[in-house]
Amino acid sequence: MDLRRDVFQAIADPTRRAILTLLAAHAMTPGAIAANFDSTRQTISKHIQILTECELLKQEQNGREIYYHFNPKKMKEIADFLEPFRNMWDDRFNKLEAVMKQYKSKK
Amino acid sequence: MERKTKVLAEDGKPDILITREFDLPVELLFKAYTEPGLLEQWMGTKVLKLDNKPLGAYAFETSDGQGNILFKAHGAIHDMVANQKIVRTFEMENAGFDVQLEFLQFEQLTPDTSKLTIQTIFRSEAHRAKQLKMPFAYGINMAHDRLQEIIHASGANKQ
C-alpha cells in the first residue's frame, strides 16, 4: 500500500514526532538520530525518509556526512491548520468537477 | 500536482476566503450547488431541503452505514442570483460553532471555465480557528485509525 505523503500522517506517528523534537534542538546525522531509539537503524531511516518527503526535514551534506535539519516553515503550516482545511475543500471541489463533467456528458 | 484550491485566512480577521477555478461552464458550477441530486453526490451528504430562492432555506444530513447521524447542518438563503451569487447562513447542529455567513460568488472565466469565491464570516476569530482545526483533528484521527489497521493487519499476518 502506498501511503500518501501527507504532513499530518507524518506527524501522527509517535516516533516521527520524537525525531522532530530531537531535530528542533539541532541538526543531526541519521546515525545520531537512530542512537536515540530502540528501533533498528533501517526503521528510523524510513521515518526520516517520510519526514523529508513531506518537507518537515531538510538534508544538508557536510563533508561525508548528511545532516538533517528541522524545517520550521513547514511546521508553521501545520500550526495554522490551513493545509488540511485546504485539502478537504480541494478534495470536495475535485469531486464537484468530476460529478459535473459526468453530468454534462450524459446530457 | 497543481494546487487549485486556495485558502486565505488572515491574522486578526474573522473570515476565510476560499477560491477555486473549475474546468466547467459557470452554469454547471452553479447547478452543482442548486440541484439536490448533484449536491448530494459531491458533498457526500443527504439534502433534506433546498429551497433555492431569496429567503429560502436548506438542510443537510450525513449518516453512517448504521444510520447514525454524523453531521447535520442547516441555513437560510438570504440572496440568490443564478450563475452569479448565493448569500446564505450555515450552522452545524450540536457542534458549538455558532452560525456563519457565506458569500458564494460564481464567475465565468471563459465559456468553459469558471471561478468560485467563498467568503465565510465567523462570529469571531476564535470561532474561525475552531472551524479551521476540524479537518486537522479529523486527519489525525484518520491517520491513527489507519495506523491501527496496519498494526492489526501486520499482527494478524504473524499468527
Side-chain angles (χ1 to χ4, degrees):
Chain A
M1 186 176 59
D2 185 28
L3 278 176
R4 203 156 56 102
R5 294 290 178 247
D6 181 294
V7 278
F8 294 92
Q9 285 187 359
I11 59 160
D13 181 87
T15 307
R16 291 199 283 271
R17 280 203 299 267
I19 293 172
L20 287 173
T21 311
L22 272 176
L23 294 177
H26 51 88
M28 290 168 94
T29 62
I33 298 168
N36 287 277
F37 297 92
D38 291 331
S39 319
T40 63
R41 181 139 176 199
Q42 206 183 355
T43 306
I44 296 302
S45 203
K46 185 77 195 157
H47 285 310
I48 294 173
Q49 189 199 331
I50 291 167
L51 290 168
T52 309
E53 277 173 20
C54 56
E55 298 169 48
L56 283 164
L57 298 184
K58 277 185 175 167
Q59 287 182 354
E60 194 182 289
Q61 189 84 34
N62 190 342
R64 277 174 23 198
E65 299 271 25
I66 291 173
Y67 280 82
Y68 284 90
H69 292 258
F70 171 66
N71 180 9
K73 207 173 140 223
K74 197 73 188 174
M75 215 54 198
K76 171 79 168 64
E77 203 174 284
I78 295 169
D80 285 341
F81 303 103
L82 275 186
E83 193 50 23
F85 184 83
R86 200 200 64 78
N87 275 330
M88 179 192 79
W89 279 98
D90 205 41
D91 288 349
R92 206 175 260 182
F93 286 147
N94 287 341
K95 203 148 178 216
L96 185 159
E97 205 167 61
V99 165
M100 294 316 288
K101 277 186 174 167
Q102 208 188 2
Y103 171 82
K104 192 182 169 186
S105 66
K106 268 196 274 182
K107 274 204 299 186
Chain B
M1 187 189 77
E2 206 214 337
R3 301 236 139 147
K4 293 207 252 176
T5 305
K6 291 184 184 127
V7 172
L8 183 71
E10 286 180 80
D11 281 347
K13 283 187 168 181
D15 71 348
I16 302 174
L17 205 65
I18 303 170
T19 53
R20 160 81 181 218
E21 291 181 8
F22 291 89
D23 195 15
L24 293 170
V26 71
E27 294 78 17
L28 281 182
L29 176 59
F30 192 78
K31 214 179 180 81
Y33 269 90
T34 49
E35 187 90 22
L38 295 169
L39 191 91
E40 283 187 344
Q41 285 181 57
W42 69 265
M43 280 272 295
T45 188
K46 207 171 147 191
V47 175
L48 301 179
K49 177 182 185 170
L50 183 59
D51 193 8
N52 290 311
K53 62 174 190 206
L55 305 186
Y58 68 91
F60 303 149
E61 187 181 281
T62 308
S63 29
D64 63 11
Q66 281 77 48
N68 301 308
I69 293 167
L70 303 173
F71 165 88
K72 222 171 146 83
H74 68 269
I77 295 166
H78 180 80
D79 198 6
M80 183 176 275
V81 179
N83 308 323
Q84 288 181 33
K85 69 171 177 180
I86 298 173
V87 180
R88 67 184 188 189
T89 61
F90 174 93
E91 183 166 9
M92 218 182 299
E93 290 171 30
N94 306 315
F97 287 137
D98 220 318
V99 65
Q100 61 200 48
L101 180 59
E102 300 181 338
F103 292 87
L104 290 83
Q105 190 187 327
F106 300 80
E107 278 172 88
Q108 175 179 307
L109 295 175
T110 69
D112 293 316
T113 59
S114 51
K115 185 180 174 184
L116 174 64
T117 306
I118 305 176
Q119 185 191 7
T120 302
I121 302 170
F122 299 85
R123 255 190 99 172
S124 68
E125 211 183 337
H127 283 88
R128 180 184 76 170
K130 218 167 157 187
Q131 181 80 27
L132 281 174
K133 281 175 193 170
M134 258 194 47
F136 171 77
Y138 183 72
I140 290 287
N141 286 337
M142 288 286 282
H144 277 147
D145 290 350
R146 182 83 70 86
L147 278 170
Q148 288 290 318
E149 277 169 28
I150 293 164
I151 290 160
H152 287 147
S154 62
N157 287 341
K158 277 179 202 154
Q159 284 165 4

